[in-house]
Amino acid sequence: MARILAIDYGGKRCGIAVTDESQIIASGLTTVDTKDLLSWLKEYVSKEEVELFIVGEPKRLHGEASEIEKLIKPFLEKLNKEVPAIPVKRIDERFTSKIAFDTMIASGISKKKRKDKALVDQISATIILQDYLYNR
């Protein structure tokens, strides 16, 4: 089996998480500057077999699209052109940043490390991926 890769897309940086090859375990992989995301993904899929991209779909409390969606849609169009063999699924990512932060507290991560937005983004991507694995 191939891996599934999840992206928590942000204006400055994107959290990345992947499954193991058996698609059982979701793990945070890294955080990538948004401007470098497409080239990073192309390089990653040239080395690792990926069968699906999961991209968080940020929504407001009442279900309407978040402001960042204006940036995500053009990115997805570019991704589809550059890596057409790998489909993309969107997953509602409401509250993942809050859940990620709460998870960091529960895990005993220091206050200094909890301020690391890149770590929050990576954990958020992992939560998005776990949600997909749980509900597929």
Side-chain angles (χ1 to χ4, degrees), residues 37-129:
L37 181 59
L38 190 57
S39 60
W40 186 92
L41 289 170
K42 287 169 51 177
E43 184 176 335
Y44 185 83
V45 300
S46 74
K47 297 175 183 174
E48 296 286 340
E49 191 176 348
V50 175
E51 80 174 40
L52 180 64
F53 292 126
I54 301 295
V55 178
E57 187 172 12
K59 294 183 179 181
R60 292 200 171 93
L61 192 56
H62 297 293
E64 63 269 6
S66 171
E67 286 295 312
I68 192 76
E69 188 67 20
K70 293 177 187 173
L71 300 175
I72 296 173
K73 286 191 180 208
F75 164 75
L76 292 176
E77 290 172 10
K78 289 178 190 172
L79 179 61
N80 189 41
K81 286 179 185 172
E82 298 285 331
V83 190
I86 302 175
V88 175
K89 280 195 176 182
R90 303 293 304 275
I91 299 293
D92 185 346
E93 68 167 58
R94 276 181 280 192
F95 309 115
T96 55
S97 293
K98 170 81 171 108
I99 294 167
F101 190 75
D102 290 347
T103 300
M104 292 168 76
I105 291 170
S107 299
I109 293 175
S110 71
K111 192 172 186 178
K112 183 178 178 182
K113 281 193 174 186
R114 289 194 308 257
K115 291 181 181 180
D116 181 0
K117 301 275 191 222
L119 183 58
V120 173
D121 292 339
Q122 189 175 326
I123 293 171
S124 293
T126 306
I127 292 167
I128 291 166
L129 187 51

Side-chain angles (χ1 to χ4, degrees), residues 10-14 31-40:
K12 294 182 181 180
R13 74 197 150 271
C14 301
T31 306
V32 178
D33 286 341
T34 300
K35 63 181 174 41
D36 301 326
L37 181 59
L38 190 57
S39 60
W40 186 92

